[in-house]
């Protein structure tokens, strides 16, 4: 029965050892090896395992797929695939066999044991041969046998010790369900989810949001809290932490009576439709009785330690929404169990209720430097890369790239993954030759996997059969060798499913495939369909860093800039530098600045473009017909310092005007004189490229930073196009500053007073350009009053209710004491109502092309719910007597903006956060909508009375501008 395997091993020897078995002597040597193999296989394998239930099917599988030889072939060259464990190929074939024969899924341990014996037999059969050509195969077989034996002995010992402790703890046999095999299940988990090697991942701790200085062990926290949510960025090590926790739960004496279940949520909605089905799917092969009854009983007893890894990996939005709702109900119903959940930040917005959030500890600069030194890497890392390498996965990539490499320059994440792919797939140069053990060049391998990843992009994992079938469609020839080389390369993780070693690596492969096989110029429709999809975001970011040609990269980035500004900004932050020798550095810098700055302003900020340089000029100045905006600038000789400015030039002049360092002073002096004569603003900009960590290909970054800086100024100075509510709030502030306006409540009367004051001053000074009184610019106030009166605005309709209680003649009081309970609630209600109307209208006025990216705006229309605790029992002379508020918003019951719902706190207690989150989600789900931002805020009544920033009136404008700033951060990242 084992003769075909023996012949395949002999064929492998002949293939790899070439002429070692030629001639009479070689034939005799080969005959002896064949005889020893036959004898050893009969004694060590057939006689011991021939009667097992799975043996015949396994023997057929091993022969058909040439498993033993493929594993040896992939591992026999020590210079190839040295970044992965040699047992990975074994894992793949074991899983493939179990998938094709699911009734043997509980025999992982025994199947691995049989394979270990095969490698030991091959080692013993070849070890007596003194032929140097067979020594490599002999040593590889020995290494595989010893490695598997060590793993199996460790698992067996650990499970036996645990079984003794479990028996001692439970005492009563009836407490252990006879239908469930605990020891086989633990062996299965320890085989399926081995710990990652220490050279790839660093041991991590977690910390809570409010105790960031205290580092905690995940299992300790879980046993104490019962529910743990770990959030992190892509590649931050969340899955590693989950697997580490699983290992600990299998072996720790504090979890002996618990049943750990690892559920990768990328399978949710695909392999099972709910959490209970997922548990049954994992435990079914180890249950001989009624699995439904068993799981229900153990859930009620609180016997499960559930590890739900990767909410962000749930493939579809409707499945993700379903999971959140199901988990909240599931955890409430079975609250004696333990739940460990992980997610990326951008996929979680409070949907699990008042769940304490934990984060994985980042790697600080000292740790990164230590890790690099440990690997023998003595290189200066630019400051910005310490932020990148605080992510452990990126650090592992960086170490792979830098270790023993002559090229120590790291430019972007795409370059990092390019190098990582090369290292994982045989360490060959991109255009390298074929080798005996790596049947593809690096470029071909990357193209095949890119094709595979692109056409299965929405599929987060693959069954072993699917993996084989999909690759077989793409691989032109030599299928088993090539698929085997992928399995053994470390590019994939071999668990109960086949997955890319990291989601980011899959996204990088797709990006590479698109860039090299689908030129943008001929596939505009394809890219247009993908650029707005959130799940393709990382692919576009990687693509921006893959281009080597400046023109192709510019075409791609300009395309993204035109269609998805937030994505464009992320692409720019991660793109590669593609300066070409025939392109002057200063020309490329200024061209990028001009193109990015002018396009973003004209496309996304057209209503307020006049508030940005150089258009930001006095009203009396107008551009001459036929003129346009150009950029003028120079780069220092050492290429470290850039200076530039914008100016109006005639239509026949160049948009980009490069001058040398000596000409800069003269040109700028001319620009100043011209701007002064036209009575308009003039500003020049200076960038220290070296200190800023910017390259000579960073013009786009410079332009984006310039826009962000101006946006911060506009928000700080409150200079956007405003709603009537904010304008009237400003009028009431000016009233208190200008004595002549005090006591007036009619805007027409105010206008008459201000007009008279200005006219009197104009009689004294006819060329009066401005008139400031007690900090109020009266020309501006006059224009504001004229604008409001043209619209027949009634001031009292747009301002918040004021105090309705007189100031006491004697003694002191707090501001809130001047408001009755009813008046406080009226002010609160109108404050949030005016805020919602103002925010939405100002977004419409100022950012009509950006509003689709604003989470708050897309949640509208919504209804604000405000819970009020009037603190009537507090000491009236103490600051704690200030009324307390808790507010959040739910979906509006109508298409209109409703008045806020005011609720008085019952028993001095605000509603539970979990209940609020459920209410928010349910309100949107009822309307078939998805909420984008779930948040609750607690504050005091003074929030509605004074500006926290200036400590004076203007709370409404403060809140509106703060909301707009948060929305702009959805596009640009943090606004300074």
């Amino acid at each position: 029965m084992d003769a075909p395997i023996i012949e395949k091993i002999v064929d492998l020897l002949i293939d790899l050892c070439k002429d070692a078995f030629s001639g009479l002597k070689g034939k005799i040597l080969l005959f002896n090896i064949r005889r020893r193999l036959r004898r050893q296989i009969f004694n060590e394998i057939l006689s011991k395992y021939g009667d097992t239930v799975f043996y015949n099917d396994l023997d057929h599988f091993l022969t058909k797929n040439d498993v033993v030889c493929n594993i040896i072939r992939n591992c026999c060259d020590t210079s190839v695939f040295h970044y992965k464990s040699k047992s990975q190929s074994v894992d793949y074939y074991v899983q493939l066999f179990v998938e094709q024969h699911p009734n043997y899924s509980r025999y992982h341990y025994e199947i691995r044991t049989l394979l270990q014996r095969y490698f030991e037999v091959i080692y013993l059969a070849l070890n007596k041969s003194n032929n140097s050509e067979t020594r490599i195969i002999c040593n590889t077989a020995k290494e595989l046998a010893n490695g598997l034996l060590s793993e199996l002995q460790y698992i067996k010992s650990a499970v036996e010790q645990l079984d003794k402790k479990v028996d001692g703890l439970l005492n009563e046999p009836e407490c252990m369900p006879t239908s469930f095999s605990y020891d086989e299940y633990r062996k299965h988990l320890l085989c399926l989810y081995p710990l990652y090697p220490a050279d790839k991942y660093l041991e991590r701790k977690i910390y809570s949001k409010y105790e960031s200085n205290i580092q905690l062990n995940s299992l300790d926290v879980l046993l104490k809290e019962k529910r743990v949510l770990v959030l992190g960025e892509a590649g931050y090590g969340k899955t590693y932490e989950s697997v580490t926790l699983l290992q600990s739960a299998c072996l720790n004496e504090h979890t002996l009576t618990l049943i750990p279940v690892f559920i990768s949520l990328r399978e949710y909605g695909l392999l099972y439709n709910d959490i209970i089905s997922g548990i049954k799917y994992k435990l079914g092969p180890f249950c001989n009785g009624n699995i439904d009854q068993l799981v229900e009983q153990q859930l009620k007893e609180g016997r499960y330690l559930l590890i739900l890894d990767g909410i962000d990996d749930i493939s579809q939005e409707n499945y993700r929404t379903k999971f959140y709702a199901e988990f909240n109900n599931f955890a409430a119903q079975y609250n004696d169990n333990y739940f460990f959940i992980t997610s990326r930040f951008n996929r979680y917005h409070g949907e699990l209720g008042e769940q304490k959030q934990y984060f994985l500890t980042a790697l600080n600069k000292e740790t990164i430097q230590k890790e690099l030194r440990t690997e023998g890497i003595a290189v200066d890392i630019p400051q910005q890369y310490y932020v990148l390498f605080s992510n452990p996965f990126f650090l592992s990539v960086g170490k792979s790239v830098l270790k023993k490499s002559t090229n120590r320059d790291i430019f972007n994440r795409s370059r990092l993954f390019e190098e990582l792919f090369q290292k994982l797939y045989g360490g060959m140069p991109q255009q390298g030759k074929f080798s005996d053990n790596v049947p593809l060049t690096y470029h071909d391998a990357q193209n095949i996997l890119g094709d595979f990843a692109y056409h299965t992009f929405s599929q987060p994992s693959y069954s072993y059969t699917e993996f084989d079938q999909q690759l077989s469609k793409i691989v032109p020839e030599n299928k088993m060798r090539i698929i085997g080389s992928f399995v053994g390369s470390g590019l994939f993780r071999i668990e109960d499913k086949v997955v890319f070693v990291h989601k980011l690596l899959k996204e990088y492969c797709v990006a590479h495939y698109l860039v090299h096989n689908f030129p943008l110029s001929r596939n505009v429709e394809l890219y247009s369909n993908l650029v707005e999809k959130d799940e393709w975001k990382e692919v576009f970011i990687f693509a921006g860093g893959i281009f080597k040609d400046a023109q192709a990269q510019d075409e791609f980035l300009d395309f993204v800039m035109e269609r998805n500004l937030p994505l464009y900004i992320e692409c720019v932050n991660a793109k590669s530098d593609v300066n070409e020798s025939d392109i002057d550095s200063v020309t490329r810098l200024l061209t990028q600045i001009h193109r990015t700055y002018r396009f973003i302003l004209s496309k996304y900020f057209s209503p307020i473009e006049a508030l940005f340089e150089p258009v930001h000029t006095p009203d009396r100045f107008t551009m001459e017909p036929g003129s346009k905006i150009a950029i003028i600038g120079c780069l220092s000789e050492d290429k470290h310092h850039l200076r530039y400015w914008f100016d109006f030039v005639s239509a026949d002049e160049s948009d980009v005007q490069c001058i040398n360092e000596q000409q800069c002073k003269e040109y700028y002096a001319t620009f100043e004189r011209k701007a002064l004569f036209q009575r308009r603003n003039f500003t020049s900009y200076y960038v220290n490229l070296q200190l800023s960590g910017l390259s000579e290909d960073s013009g786009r970054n410079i332009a984006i930073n310039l826009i962000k800086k101006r946006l911060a100024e506009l928000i700080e100075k409150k200079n956007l196009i405003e709603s009537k509510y904010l304008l009237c709030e400003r009028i009431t502030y000016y009233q208190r500053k200008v004595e002549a306006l005090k006591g007036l409540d009619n805007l027409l009367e105010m206008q008459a007073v201000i007009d008279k004051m200005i006219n009197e001053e104009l009689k004294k000074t006819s060329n009066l350009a401005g008139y400031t009184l007690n900090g109020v610019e009266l020309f501006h106030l006059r224009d504001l009053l004229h604008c409001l009166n043209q619209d027949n605005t009634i001031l009292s309709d747009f301002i918040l209710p004021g105090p309705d209680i007189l100031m006491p003649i004697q003694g002191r009081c707090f501001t809130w004491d001047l408001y009755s309970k009813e008046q406080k609630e009226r002010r609160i209600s109108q404050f949030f109502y005016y805020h919602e109307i103002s925010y939405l209208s100002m977004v419409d006025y100022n950012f009509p092309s950006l509003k689709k990216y604003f989470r708050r705006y897309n949640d509208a229309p919504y209804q604000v719910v405000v819970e009020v605790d009037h603190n009537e029992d507090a000491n009236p002379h103490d600051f704690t007597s200030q009324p307390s508020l808790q507010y959040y918003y739910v979906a509006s019951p109508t298409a209109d903006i409703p008045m806020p719902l005011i609720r008085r706190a019952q028993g001095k207690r605000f509603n539970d956060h979990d209940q609020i989150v459920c209410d928010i989600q349910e309100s949107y789900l009822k309307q078939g909508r998805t909420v984008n931002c779930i948040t609750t805020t607690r504050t005091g009544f003074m929030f509605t009375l004074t500006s926290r920033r200036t400590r004076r009136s203007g709370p409404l404008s403060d809140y509106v501008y703060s909301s707009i700033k948060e929305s702009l951060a959805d596009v640009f990242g943090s606004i300074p």
Side-chain angles (χ1 to χ4, degrees):
M1 186 177 292
D2 290 280
I5 291 183
I6 294 172
E7 292 308 313
K8 287 184 178 292
I9 295 173
V10 170
D11 289 342
L12 174 68
L13 289 170
I14 296 172
D15 180 44
L16 294 182
C17 298
K18 306 301 180 188
D19 300 326
F21 301 108
S22 61
L24 179 61
K25 182 178 178 181
K27 291 179 180 179
I28 295 173
L29 176 62
L30 198 60
F31 174 80
N32 290 331
I33 290 175
R34 184 182 280 109
R35 186 178 59 180
R36 286 196 295 270
L37 281 171
R38 186 177 292 108
R39 184 174 61 250
Q40 292 283 353
I41 287 177
F42 178 82
N43 293 335
E44 299 296 329
I45 295 176
L46 187 59
S47 62
K48 293 182 179 179
Y49 298 95
D51 293 333
T52 57
V53 295
F54 58 81
Y55 182 80
N56 288 337
D57 289 325
L58 178 62
D59 182 70
H60 176 72
F61 173 82
L62 295 178
T63 304
K64 177 183 176 183
N65 294 281
D66 197 11
V67 172
V68 174
C69 293
N70 273 330
I71 293 174
I72 293 175
R73 185 180 286 111
N74 288 334
C75 299
C76 67
D77 187 348
T78 57
S79 67
V80 176
F81 307 144
H82 51 283
Y83 286 100
K84 56 88 188 172
S85 167
K86 284 183 166 56
S87 65
Q88 178 153 306
S89 292
V90 176
D91 297 336
Y92 171 77
Y93 286 110
V94 171
Q95 283 295 113
L96 182 60
F97 172 70
V98 168
E99 191 170 277
Q100 294 178 1
H101 302 84
N103 51 319
Y104 302 142
S105 59
R106 65 183 299 170
Y107 298 107
H108 270 266
Y109 183 85
E110 289 77 5
I111 294 169
R112 293 171 72 89
T113 301
L114 189 147
L115 285 173
Q116 188 273 336
R117 298 302 298 157
Y118 263 115
F119 294 125
E120 187 170 351
V121 161
I122 294 171
Y123 161 67
L124 293 174
L126 298 180
N127 193 41
K128 294 182 179 180
S129 172
N130 293 323
N131 190 302
S132 60
E133 286 85 351
T134 62
R135 183 51 51 189
I136 292 177
I137 299 176
C138 179
N139 290 341
T140 300
K142 179 182 179 182
E143 186 176 349
L144 283 163
N146 290 345
L148 282 170
L149 180 62
S150 177
E151 291 178 17
L152 294 168
Q153 287 177 340
Y154 167 75
I155 292 171
K156 182 179 179 182
S157 173
V159 171
E160 287 176 349
Q161 292 178 24
L162 286 172
D163 283 342
K164 292 178 182 177
K165 293 180 180 179
V166 171
D167 292 340
L169 284 173
L170 295 178
N171 288 324
E172 303 176 15
E174 59 269 24
C175 292
M176 293 286 287
T178 56
S179 59
F180 184 70
S181 176
Y182 280 90
D183 56 343
E184 295 299 326
Y185 178 64
R186 287 197 194 93
K187 287 180 182 178
H188 166 79
L189 289 180
L190 293 172
C191 284
L192 197 57
Y193 299 102
L195 279 176
Y196 293 100
D199 63 339
K200 287 189 177 182
Y201 292 92
L202 300 174
E203 182 180 356
R204 313 292 296 287
K205 299 290 184 181
I206 62 174
Y207 65 92
S208 72
K209 182 177 181 180
Y210 302 105
E211 298 172 325
S212 58
N213 60 326
I214 302 177
Q215 297 187 9
L216 306 165
N217 176 273
S218 293
L219 182 59
D220 293 342
V221 175
L222 182 60
L223 293 177
K224 178 182 177 183
E225 302 284 346
K226 286 206 167 184
R227 284 173 62 176
V228 171
L229 170 66
V230 174
L231 300 176
E233 297 291 354
Y236 222 64
K238 301 181 293 298
T239 297
Y240 168 66
E241 190 66 20
S242 298
V243 172
T244 302
L245 175 67
L246 178 67
Q247 284 273 334
S248 300
C250 286
L251 302 174
N252 193 289
E253 62 182 14
H254 295 107
T255 56
L256 294 181
T257 59
L258 296 178
I259 302 172
V261 180
F262 184 92
I263 296 180
S264 180
L265 291 177
R266 60 174 173 261
E267 302 166 346
Y268 189 87
L270 300 175
L271 297 182
Y272 32 81
N273 292 319
D274 51 55
I275 296 173
I276 287 186
S277 298
I279 297 173
K280 295 174 184 175
Y281 179 84
K282 300 293 183 180
L283 301 186
F286 306 91
C287 176
N288 295 319
N290 188 323
I291 185 66
D292 297 330
Q293 182 179 350
L294 173 73
V295 171
E296 181 65 25
Q297 175 189 341
Q298 292 175 334
L299 280 170
K300 290 179 179 178
E301 294 172 354
R303 299 288 300 282
Y304 287 112
L305 190 153
L306 293 176
I307 302 172
L308 306 170
D309 181 51
I311 292 175
D312 53 285
D313 284 332
I314 299 177
S315 59
Q316 298 181 28
E317 182 69 33
N318 59 325
Y319 287 146
R320 198 176 304 118
T321 301
K322 178 179 181 294
F323 169 79
Y324 285 132
E326 185 202 349
F327 177 84
N328 288 325
N329 293 330
F330 185 88
Q333 182 179 357
Y334 302 110
N335 57 6
D336 289 332
N337 294 275
Y338 298 82
F339 304 93
F340 185 87
I341 315 107
T342 71
S343 176
R344 286 188 187 181
F345 282 115
N346 65 338
R347 289 295 192 186
Y348 181 77
H349 306 293
E351 291 88 348
L352 299 183
E354 195 170 354
Q355 173 67 54
K356 192 171 183 181
Q357 298 178 6
Y358 291 87
F359 311 96
L360 286 167
T361 52
L363 304 180
N364 57 32
K365 185 174 180 179
E366 291 71 24
T367 302
I368 294 169
Q369 290 174 332
K370 179 181 178 182
E371 284 297 311
L372 294 175
R373 286 196 301 269
T374 301
E375 297 290 340
I377 301 171
V379 60
D380 291 330
I381 300 295
Q383 186 62 40
Q384 61 268 36
Y385 288 102
Y386 285 108
V387 178
L388 182 69
F389 287 161
S390 65
N391 182 317
F393 183 68
F394 279 118
L395 177 60
S396 70
V397 175
K399 288 195 296 184
S400 297
V401 174
L402 290 173
K403 189 176 181 181
K404 299 179 181 178
S405 173
T406 56
N407 180 11
R408 300 295 177 89
D409 295 326
I410 302 177
F411 298 98
N412 60 23
R413 70 175 90 179
S414 299
R415 296 279 175 86
L416 292 174
F417 276 90
E418 179 181 346
E419 293 289 338
L420 177 66
F421 192 105
Q422 181 181 347
K423 295 290 184 182
L424 290 177
Y425 198 72
M428 299 180 300
Q430 185 166 344
Q431 301 299 330
K433 298 178 180 180
F434 292 95
S435 76
D436 290 334
N437 300 293
V438 184
L440 290 173
T441 65
Y442 158 79
H443 178 79
D444 289 340
Q446 197 169 36
N447 205 51
I448 288 173
L449 288 185
D451 188 350
F452 169 71
Y454 172 72
H455 288 100
T456 61
F457 185 75
S458 61
Q459 191 172 344
S461 61
Y462 316 95
S463 70
Y464 290 81
T465 304
E466 287 173 330
F467 182 75
D468 180 76
Q469 290 174 346
Q470 289 289 346
L471 278 175
S472 296
K473 296 176 184 177
I474 304 168
V475 176
E477 56 187 14
N478 203 8
K479 181 186 71 126
M480 291 307 298
R481 287 279 311 277
I482 291 173
I483 294 178
S485 72
F486 288 146
V487 170
S489 67
L491 293 167
F492 293 92
R493 198 164 62 241
I494 307 301
E495 297 173 351
D496 53 341
K497 297 286 178 181
V498 180
V499 293
F500 277 87
V501 70
H502 197 278
K503 186 178 180 181
L504 288 172
L505 182 62
K506 178 179 181 180
E507 291 164 333
Y508 166 74
C509 288
V510 173
H512 181 275
Y513 180 70
L514 288 175
V515 169
H516 291 285
N517 294 276
F518 294 90
L520 175 60
S521 58
R522 299 200 298 270
N523 296 277
V524 173
E525 184 178 355
L526 169 66
Y527 285 95
S528 297
N529 291 334
L530 301 178
V531 71
E532 291 280 4
K533 295 181 179 180
D534 187 61
E535 61 268 28
W536 285 81
K537 177 180 125 179
E538 293 293 335
V539 174
F540 275 80
I541 294 172
F542 275 124
I546 290 174
F547 289 99
K548 303 297 191 296
D549 175 72
Q551 182 177 350
Q553 186 191 71
D554 285 342
E555 180 185 12
F556 175 81
L557 292 176
D558 289 345
F559 171 87
V560 177
M561 177 170 62
E562 183 178 344
R563 290 162 175 81
N564 189 332
L565 183 59
L567 178 59
Y568 170 73
I569 290 168
E570 293 205 57
C571 287
V572 168
N573 290 335
K575 75 176 186 65
S576 58
D577 298 330
V578 290
N579 264 353
E580 298 178 352
S581 57
D582 59 339
I583 300 179
D584 181 59
S585 298
V586 66
T587 301
R588 181 157 178 78
L589 270 172
L590 295 179
T591 300
Q592 288 185 342
I593 294 172
H594 183 270
R595 179 189 299 160
T596 298
Y597 184 75
R598 293 301 308 143
F599 182 86
I600 290 178
L601 292 185
S602 62
K603 166 82 174 180
Y604 297 103
F605 293 95
S606 55
I608 57 172
E609 185 178 1
L611 298 178
F612 291 80
E613 295 292 343
V615 186
H616 181 41
T617 59
D619 293 338
R620 61 184 61 81
F621 174 80
T622 56
M623 287 178 58
E624 296 179 5
S627 62
K628 62 180 181 180
I629 296 172
I631 187 171
I632 301 96
C634 67
L635 190 64
S636 63
E637 291 184 4
D638 60 7
K639 297 188 177 183
H640 291 166
H641 309 278
L642 174 70
R643 188 180 184 188
Y644 67 96
W645 60 90
F646 296 100
D647 196 7
F648 299 104
V649 299
S650 60
D652 58 348
E653 292 187 64
S654 173
D655 291 344
V656 178
Q657 299 182 18
C658 305
I659 56 179
N660 59 46
E661 202 171 4
Q662 290 72 33
Q663 295 174 306
C664 190
K665 185 175 181 180
E666 176 187 347
Y667 272 67
Y668 188 70
T670 303
F671 166 62
E672 279 185 324
R673 289 193 296 271
K674 175 182 172 184
L676 286 169
F677 176 76
Q678 296 173 335
R679 299 185 71 176
R680 63 182 176 88
N681 299 331
F682 55 91
T683 306
S684 69
Y685 304 95
Y686 170 81
V687 182
N688 187 320
L689 298 175
Q690 188 176 35
L691 291 180
S692 303
L694 299 172
S695 70
E696 297 169 34
D697 192 32
S698 300
R700 296 176 188 269
N701 302 80
I702 293 170
I704 291 169
N705 291 335
L706 184 60
I707 293 172
K708 289 173 64 174
K709 181 180 178 182
R710 180 57 181 160
L711 286 172
E713 292 172 353
L714 293 175
I715 291 171
E716 176 70 20
K717 297 177 181 178
K718 299 181 178 179
N719 282 346
L720 297 176
I721 304 171
E722 295 182 335
S723 70
K724 283 187 180 181
Y725 297 100
L726 268 63
L727 296 177
C728 288
E729 183 183 62
R730 185 170 286 115
I731 291 293
T732 60
Y733 169 70
Y734 290 157
Q735 274 187 284
R736 289 187 287 272
K737 302 284 285 183
V738 179
E739 188 69 28
L741 298 182
K742 290 182 178 179
L744 300 178
D745 58 6
N746 186 291
L747 294 176
L748 287 171
E749 293 177 3
M750 294 183 196
Q751 179 181 323
V753 171
I754 297 301
D755 285 344
K756 181 179 179 182
M757 294 173 66
I758 291 175
N759 289 335
E760 288 176 354
E761 288 300 317
L762 285 172
K763 291 177 183 178
K764 301 175 186 177
T765 310
S766 59
N767 61 346
L768 186 67
Y771 182 6
T772 301
L773 177 66
N774 198 21
V776 179
E777 214 296 306
L778 296 189
F779 278 71
H780 170 71
L781 177 55
R782 180 190 62 182
D783 294 341
L784 179 54
L785 288 167
H786 278 230
C787 177
L788 291 172
N789 284 321
Q790 283 179 358
D791 220 7
N792 298 317
T793 304
I794 299 174
L795 182 64
S796 59
D797 291 345
F798 293 91
I799 59 175
L800 296 168
D804 62 343
I805 298 176
L806 296 176
M807 178 84 73
I809 299 174
Q810 294 182 343
R812 296 180 298 173
C813 70
F814 292 107
T815 307
W816 54 82
D817 293 328
L818 303 178
Y819 293 78
S820 65
K821 183 187 295 185
E822 293 73 18
Q823 189 76 340
K824 287 171 185 165
E825 293 180 358
R826 276 193 290 273
R827 184 176 179 96
I828 292 168
S829 177
Q830 292 190 32
F831 176 83
F832 286 100
Y833 180 65
Y834 291 173
H835 167 268
E836 183 175 359
I837 294 175
S838 297
Y839 168 80
L840 295 174
S841 63
M842 288 176 64
V843 169
D844 286 331
Y845 297 155
N846 296 276
F847 313 108
S849 298
L850 287 179
K851 61 187 181 184
K852 65 180 178 181
Y853 304 118
F854 294 173
R855 289 183 298 157
R856 177 188 283 271
Y857 186 91
N858 288 306
D859 282 341
Y862 52 78
Q863 181 177 36
V864 178
V865 180
V866 187
E867 299 173 26
V868 184
D869 180 1
H870 288 281
N871 285 326
E872 294 174 294
D873 298 334
N875 183 347
H877 304 295
D878 189 89
F879 197 81
T880 58
S881 64
Q882 177 186 189
S884 301
L885 313 177
Q886 175 171 266
Y887 62 90
Y888 54 92
Y889 61 75
V890 296
S892 171
T894 67
D896 300 320
I897 300 174
M899 291 295 295
L901 181 61
I902 305 297
R903 295 174 177 166
R904 293 184 182 178
Q906 299 297 320
K908 301 186 70 64
R909 291 178 61 87
F910 289 128
N911 275 351
D912 177 70
H913 181 80
D914 284 350
Q915 185 59 50
I916 290 173
V917 171
C918 289
D919 291 344
I920 294 171
Q921 290 176 323
E922 185 178 350
S923 70
Y924 280 88
L925 286 173
K926 283 181 178 178
Q927 300 179 14
R929 300 165 60 194
T930 301
V931 62
N932 295 284
C933 186
I934 297 179
T935 180
T936 63
T937 305
R938 292 187 180 182
T939 186
F941 181 63
M942 288 298 292
F943 178 66
T944 71
L945 294 177
T946 61
S947 166
R948 291 187 173 185
R949 185 168 56 86
T950 61
R951 295 300 176 188
R952 62 189 187 193
S953 60
L956 181 60
S957 63
D958 263 18
Y959 186 26
V960 172
Y961 273 94
S962 174
S963 298
I964 289 175
K965 185 175 182 179
E966 289 177 4
S967 292
L968 287 169
D970 292 338
V971 177
F972 289 94
S974 61
I975 304 293

